[in-house]
């Protein structure tokens, strides 16, 4: 379901209202999630400045290099463009579009090379991060975003189900990771973001860099992978065992992590604080005696960015609301031995209940 042009205009109108509330003059977004969210235009950052200037009165202009103008026009035909040629100064163009008093909000991931030039072209203005404006909007996914997240999650589920039929023993993590990446693409991903294959002791490092270790019979393997389709991201983790014999503690730890995830789901509903999901999952792991080995927060929001608000972490009292999508991903990491993590993306529905977007089997699957 493609997002209608009208909904991009509506997002810009709501962002502009927030600019007025906060006495900001403009929001500036270079290529990245905020730009895509506000315009539908997706491109990689390069040294040539592309920048949406959203003024507090709602007027939106895409400052873009002349050679990118056809792409910008195709992606966001309803936006005015201010194009600059190779020998012109794009920063002067941006400055000309910022009228009236007030500070400037810049996209969180804008390159310092751009921010510093913009700052010097717009002196005596306070600069802040655009997430102050966009996080409230982006956290609550609309119908088309929820659908996009569901489709990309299901695509990842299918890739995992097919991976279970592939051999593991005797192959390197890198080979398994490459195969998983291929399956993600075959199942509908347009971009593969990461394929973490943490085998044996490597699984005890949550963000292990998939490497040359050869997977052996008896290994426990953490598979954490994701990417994007139409800009919206997937992120799923399952833990598998290679062959029939593993150390008995691995199954026990997996049971604990699975119950922790169930507890996280049980706590997740409209109005529950983000930290209460973390607490519910953590309690199960603490009570099983593995509390010291659960070394990260329970989850993160997901959407156009792989990690975004809300973060399910102690200290975040933010209440969950319909439209919020986030991971629930408890884990236990036993250094030198193995790790176990189970991760799904979940969504708070309009009726206030939680809905899993990933439905791939949670059991400790046996692979060959
Ligand atoms: Zn992670
Ligand atoms: Zn993950
Ligand atoms: Zn995650």
């Amino acid at each position: 379901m493609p997002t209608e042009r009208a909904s991009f205009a509506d997002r810009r109108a709501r962002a502009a209202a927030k600019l007025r509330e906060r006495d900001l003059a403009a929001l500036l977004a270079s290529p990245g999630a905020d730009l895509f969210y506000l315009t539908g235009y997706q491109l990689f950052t390069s040294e040539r400045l592309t920048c949406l200037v959203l003024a507090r009165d709602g007027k939106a202009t895409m400052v873009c290099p002349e050679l990118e103008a056809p792409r910008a026009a195709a992606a966001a035909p309803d936006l005015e463009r201010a194009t600059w040629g190779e020998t012109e100064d794009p920063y002067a163009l941006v400055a000309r579009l910022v009228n009236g008093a007030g500070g400037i909000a810049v996209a969180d991931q804008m390159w310092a090379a751009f921010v510093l030039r913009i700052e010097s072209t717009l002196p005596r203005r306070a600069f802040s991060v655009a997430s102050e404006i966009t996080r409230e909007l982006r956290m609550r996914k609309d119908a088309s975003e929820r659908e996009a997240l569901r489709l990309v999650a299901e695509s990842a589920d299918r890739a995992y189900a097919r991976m279970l039929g592939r051999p593991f023993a005797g192959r390197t993590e890198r080979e398994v990771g490459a195969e998983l990446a291929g399956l993600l693409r075959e199942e509908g991903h347009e971009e593969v973001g990461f394929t973490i294959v943490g085998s044996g002791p490597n699984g005890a490092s949550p963000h292990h860099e998939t490497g040359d270790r050869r997977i052996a019979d008896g290994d426990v393997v953490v598979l954490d992978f994701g990417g994007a389709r139409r800009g919206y991201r997937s992120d799923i983790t399952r833990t598998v065992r290679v062959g029939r014999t593993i150390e008995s503690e691995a199954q026990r730890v997996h049971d604990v992590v699975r119950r922790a995830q169930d507890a996280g789901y049980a706590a997740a509903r409209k109005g529950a604080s983000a930290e209460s999901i973390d607490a519910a999952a953590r309690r199960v792991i603490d009570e099983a005696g593995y509390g010291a080995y659960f070394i990260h927060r329970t989850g993160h929001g997901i959407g156009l960015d792989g990690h975004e608000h809300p973060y399910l972490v102690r200290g975040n009292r933010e209440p969950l609301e319909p439209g919020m999508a986030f991971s629930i991903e408890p884990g236990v990491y036993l250094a030198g031995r193995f790790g176990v993590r189970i991760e799904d993306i979940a969504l708070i529905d309009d009726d206030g209940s939680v809905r899993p977007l990933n439905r791939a089997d949670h059991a400790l699957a046996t692979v060959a």
Side-chain angles (χ1 to χ4, degrees), residues 41-44 67-76:
Y41 186 29
Q42 193 179 26
L43 76 167
F44 289 103
L67 82 166
E68 301 281 9
R71 272 177 83 193

Side-chain angles (χ1 to χ4, degrees), residues 171-220:
R171 298 168 82 199
T172 64
E173 293 176 344
R174 206 185 302 283
E175 286 163 352
V176 168
E179 180 153 47
L180 191 46
L183 291 175
L184 280 169
R185 287 200 188 84
E186 281 180 34
E187 292 298 339
H189 275 61
E190 291 158 357
E191 182 197 326
V192 176
F194 59 97
T195 52
I196 297 173
V197 180
S199 67
N202 290 343
S205 168
H207 280 172
H208 168 65
E209 178 101 20
T210 301
D212 293 321
R213 184 179 181 277
R214 209 163 278 284
I215 298 171
D217 210 62
D219 277 352
V220 172

Side-chain angles (χ1 to χ4, degrees), residues 194 196 207 224-226 235-237 300 307 327 329 341 343:
F194 59 97
I196 297 173
H207 280 172
D224 182 352
F225 51 98
D235 186 3
I236 177 175
T237 307
H300 53 82
H307 289 185
S327 70
E329 53 175 307
R341 179 165 65 259
E343 170 179 30

Side-chain angles (χ1 to χ4, degrees), residues 51-333:
C51 182
L52 171 74
V53 180
L54 177 65
R56 59 186 288 158
D57 64 4
K59 186 171 158 29
T61 311
M62 191 84 81
V63 173
C64 68
E66 206 164 19
L67 82 166
E68 301 281 9
R71 272 177 83 193
D78 52 338
L79 277 195
E80 273 187 45
R81 280 175 304 284
T83 57
W84 57 276
E86 295 280 48
T87 58
E88 288 173 309
D89 174 10
Y91 302 95
L93 265 184
V94 171
R96 226 176 297 142
L97 292 163
V98 177
N99 298 305
I104 310 284
V106 296
D108 294 34
Q109 292 159 8
M110 190 185 282
W111 285 359
F114 299 143
V115 176
L116 294 174
R117 291 288 303 277
I118 291 170
E119 269 189 317
S120 65
T121 316
L122 287 162
R124 291 180 301 278
R125 299 232 184 208
F127 279 72
S128 56
V129 287
S131 56
E132 288 172 21
I133 303 295
T134 55
R135 62 167 271 174
E136 296 287 317
L137 304 174
R138 282 178 47 193
M139 262 196 311
R140 296 172 188 82
K141 271 71 181 178
D142 65 26
S144 72
E145 296 183 285
R146 297 178 200 187
E147 180 69 357
L149 284 168
R150 183 181 70 79
L151 291 172
V152 76
E154 286 176 358
S155 163
D157 285 350
R158 291 193 300 273
Y160 171 69
R162 288 177 63 189
M163 198 63 215
L164 293 180
R166 306 291 165 104
F168 280 67
R171 298 168 82 199
T172 64
E173 293 176 344
R174 206 185 302 283
E175 286 163 352
V176 168
E179 180 153 47
L180 191 46
L183 291 175
L184 280 169
R185 287 200 188 84
E186 281 180 34
E187 292 298 339
H189 275 61
E190 291 158 357
E191 182 197 326
V192 176
F194 59 97
T195 52
I196 297 173
V197 180
S199 67
N202 290 343
S205 168
H207 280 172
H208 168 65
E209 178 101 20
T210 301
D212 293 321
R213 184 179 181 277
R214 209 163 278 284
I215 298 171
D217 210 62
D219 277 352
V220 172
V221 184
V222 177
L223 302 169
D224 182 352
F225 51 98
R229 182 182 176 281
R230 309 273 157 84
Y232 285 85
R233 311 206 72 91
S234 65
D235 186 3
I236 177 175
T237 307
R238 292 291 184 267
T239 302
V240 301
R241 51 182 284 184
V242 184
R244 296 270 152 208
T245 48
I246 49 162
E247 47 176 314
S248 60
E249 197 177 0
Q251 182 66 60
R252 188 157 75 241
V253 169
H254 194 275
D255 291 342
V256 170
V257 171
R258 201 167 161 186
R259 280 195 289 117
Q261 201 206 30
D262 289 344
Y265 266 118
R269 71 184 75 87
K270 178 183 167 186
S273 67
E275 67 174 359
S276 70
I277 317 311
D278 180 76
R282 199 167 298 278
R283 191 175 309 120
V284 172
I285 292 176
D286 281 345
E287 284 171 2
Y290 292 102
Y293 308 102
F294 179 16
I295 51 176
H296 54 73
R297 65 191 175 213
T298 293
H300 53 82
I302 190 166
L304 292 168
D305 279 319
H307 289 185
E308 57 180 52
H309 297 285
Y311 292 101
L312 275 48
V313 62
R314 188 161 53 105
N316 184 5
R317 304 221 164 86
E318 199 156 35
L320 298 181
E321 290 177 32
M324 288 186 178
F326 47 83
S327 70
I328 304 179
E329 53 175 307
V332 167
Y333 308 94

